[in-house]
Amino acid sequence: MNAVFFSDFDGTITEKDVIESIMEEFAPPRWKDIHNALLSGGLDVDVGIRMMFNLISYDKKEDIIRWVKKNIKLRDGFDQFLDFLSVNRIPFVVLSGGLDFYIYPLLEKYLKKISKIYANRLVCYGGRMDVRFIYRCDRLCKKNCGICKRYIAEKYYKNQSLRLYAGDGITDLDAGQYNDIIFSTGGLSEYLKKINLRGKRVYHFNDFYDIVKAMREYGEGILL
C-alpha cells in the first residue's frame, strides 16, 4: 500500500508544547494575553505566533536552542516508531506550525529516518525574532494557519492511497479530517469525543509505543 504518516510536532512528538515552554522561559508575561487571544479565536494562528516571537530578542536564539535541547523531551518510543515505519516502507512527514530553529536540533539524531519536515522559518526583523510562513493556505482554506497542513497533504501527497496522522490539538482536528487514520493525544482526543469523523479510524495514544502497538494489532487494515 502507498501510505504516508504525518505528525504534528509540538505536544505530539514532544511531551509538551515547545512554543509555550519557550515563551514561559524567555518572553515577558504579556505573551500569555496573546496566547489566550489565539486560543479563543481572537487572533489568527499566524498573527499570534508572530506577535509572541516578536517579544524576544533575536540574540536569544542560541540560548533558546541550548535550553530546548536540555529541557524538552520527545515522547517515549519515537526512535522505535521510526524504525517500524522504515521497515514497512512508510515515509514519516512532520507537519508543524512551530519553527525550524528548534525543531531541527530536537530531531537532529533522527533526521535520516524522517522523509520531510514542513515548518515555519525563524528570521530576524529589527533585532527581534520574527516568523516567515512558507506553506500558507490556498484558496480552499481561509484560516490563516501559518502552515496549512491540509494544503501540504493535498498538494504534495494526494497520490498516497493511505494517509495516517498523529496530533494533539485543535489545529490537528482540521488536519485529521483529510487523513484516513488518526492517532490522537492531549486535547485532540477530547475534541474527537465530541464529533463524528465519518469514515475515519481513530486511536488514542500516550506514547509512540502505543502507535506501533495499534499498527501491529490492526496491521492488515493499516499496512496492507
Side-chain angles (χ1 to χ4, degrees), residues 45-46 49 97 120 133-137 143-148:
V45 173
D46 56 351
I49 290 176
N120 300 312
F133 301 100
I134 310 298
Y135 304 100
R136 286 190 172 274
C137 307
K143 297 183 178 181
N144 294 323
C145 302
I147 180 170
C148 187

Side-chain angles (χ1 to χ4, degrees), residues 121-155:
R121 185 173 301 166
L122 178 73
V123 295
C124 179
Y125 182 77
R128 313 300 292 179
M129 288 189 164
D130 204 354
V131 185
R132 181 174 297 165
F133 301 100
I134 310 298
Y135 304 100
R136 286 190 172 274
C137 307
D138 64 4
R139 60 183 177 82
L140 298 178
C141 181
K142 305 298 183 181
K143 297 183 178 181
N144 294 323
C145 302
I147 180 170
C148 187
K149 299 178 182 183
R150 171 188 178 181
Y151 167 77
I152 293 169
E154 294 292 300
K155 180 175 178 64

Side-chain angles (χ1 to χ4, degrees), residues 9 14 16 18 21-22 26 61-74 100-109:
F9 184 77
T14 59
K16 54 186 178 181
V18 185
S21 300
I22 290 172
F26 293 94
K61 176 183 175 182
E62 296 304 321
D63 291 338
I64 292 175
I65 291 174
R66 284 191 291 269
W67 184 88
V68 164
K69 292 175 72 173
K70 181 179 179 180
N71 292 279
I72 299 298
K73 307 301 181 185
L74 305 188
D100 57 356
F101 86 106
Y102 66 77
I103 292 175
Y104 278 88
L106 284 171
L107 294 179
E108 183 177 8
K109 63 182 289 187

Side-chain angles (χ1 to χ4, degrees), residues 28-221:
R30 63 181 181 275
W31 79 269
K32 294 182 180 179
D33 295 329
I34 300 170
H35 187 253
N36 289 336
L38 191 159
L39 292 179
S40 67
L43 287 175
D44 287 332
V45 173
D46 56 351
V47 173
I49 290 176
R50 284 194 69 196
M51 289 178 66
M52 287 192 291
F53 276 97
N54 285 166
L55 297 173
I56 304 175
S57 173
Y58 189 81
D59 63 14
K60 293 291 185 181
K61 176 183 175 182
E62 296 304 321
D63 291 338
I64 292 175
I65 291 174
R66 284 191 291 269
W67 184 88
V68 164
K69 292 175 72 173
K70 181 179 179 180
N71 292 279
I72 299 298
K73 307 301 181 185
L74 305 188
R75 285 188 188 268
D76 288 344
F78 184 62
D79 198 9
Q80 292 82 352
F81 163 74
L82 292 178
D83 288 340
F84 177 80
L85 292 186
S86 178
V87 168
N88 287 281
R89 299 182 180 179
I90 300 175
F92 181 69
V93 177
V94 177
L95 301 180
S96 176
L99 277 71
D100 57 356
F101 86 106
Y102 66 77
I103 292 175
Y104 278 88
L106 284 171
L107 294 179
E108 183 177 8
K109 63 182 289 187
Y110 307 105
L111 290 178
K112 291 183 179 180
K113 300 179 182 181
I114 297 172
S115 176
K116 181 74 175 180
I117 298 174
Y118 295 90
N120 300 312
R121 185 173 301 166
L122 178 73
V123 295
C124 179
Y125 182 77
R128 313 300 292 179
M129 288 189 164
D130 204 354
V131 185
R132 181 174 297 165
F133 301 100
I134 310 298
Y135 304 100
R136 286 190 172 274
C137 307
D138 64 4
R139 60 183 177 82
L140 298 178
C141 181
K142 305 298 183 181
K143 297 183 178 181
N144 294 323
C145 302
I147 180 170
C148 187
K149 299 178 182 183
R150 171 188 178 181
Y151 167 77
I152 293 169
E154 294 292 300
K155 180 175 178 64
Y156 300 110
Y157 300 92
K158 64 181 179 180
N159 294 325
Q160 253 67 23
S161 56
L162 181 68
R163 298 192 296 204
L164 304 95
Y165 188 87
D168 78 303
I170 188 64
T171 58
D172 300 305
L173 177 60
D174 183 60
Q177 296 182 51
Y178 302 95
N179 293 274
D180 304 295
I181 299 173
I182 305 168
F183 294 92
S184 69
T185 192
L188 181 60
S189 292
E190 298 303 314
Y191 295 131
L192 291 176
K193 292 177 183 178
K194 302 174 184 178
I195 64 173
N196 178 24
L197 290 178
R198 294 182 178 179
K200 311 295 182 183
R201 284 177 286 177
V202 179
Y203 305 98
H204 174 76
F205 74 98
N206 292 310
D207 55 37
F208 283 97
Y209 293 118
D210 292 337
I211 296 180
V212 172
K213 180 180 178 181
M215 293 182 74
R216 282 177 172 156
E217 289 180 352
Y218 299 93
E220 184 175 352

